[in-house]
């Protein structure tokens, strides 16, 4: 897949390439359900993460793509942070830690 690690959730396995191509597989059968490119994604090094029924993907330019878990490819929203992001975010309790090239962000629910 490139740099990032696959992630599993909701009966699916998601594999993300560094060029922003996301593939979704059925976790039981291994059947590929889709292979789609995230719109306008920069290079992606960080691994994606899952919260609830959504998959989060952070590109190196600070855009987070939120994809609904499921058989169909659907970007439900995007968010933007300033900075350059190469590190995989960490989750600690109700906090999301995002490290860019110069600073650490903490987002709490």
């Amino acid at each position: 897949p490139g740099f990032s690690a696959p992630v599993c959730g909701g009966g699916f396995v998601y594999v993300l390439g560094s060029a922003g191509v996301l593939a979704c597989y059925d976790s039981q059968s291994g059947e590929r359900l889709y292979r789609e490119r995230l719109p306008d994604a920069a290079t992606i090094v960080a691994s994606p993460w899952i919260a609830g029924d959504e998959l989060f993907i952070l590109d190196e330019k600070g855009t987070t793509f939120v994809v609904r878990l499921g058989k169909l490819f659907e970007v439900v929203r995007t968010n933007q942070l300033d900075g350059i992001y190469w590190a995989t975010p960490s989750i600690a309790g109700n906090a999301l830690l995002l490290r860019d090239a110069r600073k650490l962000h903490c987002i709490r629910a």
Side-chain angles (χ1 to χ4, degrees), residues 15-105:
V15 181
L16 180 63
S18 60
V21 177
L22 178 65
C24 174
Y25 299 87
D26 181 282
S27 65
Q28 294 296 317
S29 69
E31 174 190 3
R32 186 171 73 192
L33 302 172
Y34 65 76
R35 185 176 185 270
E36 299 285 341
R37 187 173 190 323
L38 295 164
D40 301 317
T43 301
I44 299 171
V45 179
S47 294
W49 69 97
I50 292 175
D53 64 349
E54 296 175 325
L55 173 71
F56 294 79
I57 300 165
L58 177 66
D59 76 11
E60 73 176 1
K61 291 186 177 180
T63 303
T64 301
F65 298 87
V66 183
V67 178
R68 189 176 319 282
L69 299 185
K71 295 180 179 184
L72 302 175
F73 177 73
E74 180 186 2
V75 177
V76 292
R77 67 186 172 281
T78 61
N79 302 294
Q80 186 67 48
L81 292 169
D82 290 331
I84 299 172
Y85 295 85
W86 297 308
T88 297
S90 295
I91 299 169
N94 67 344
L96 176 65
L97 303 171
L98 301 137
R99 182 175 59 86
D100 77 7
R102 295 178 173 246
K103 57 190 169 294
L104 177 68
H105 302 276

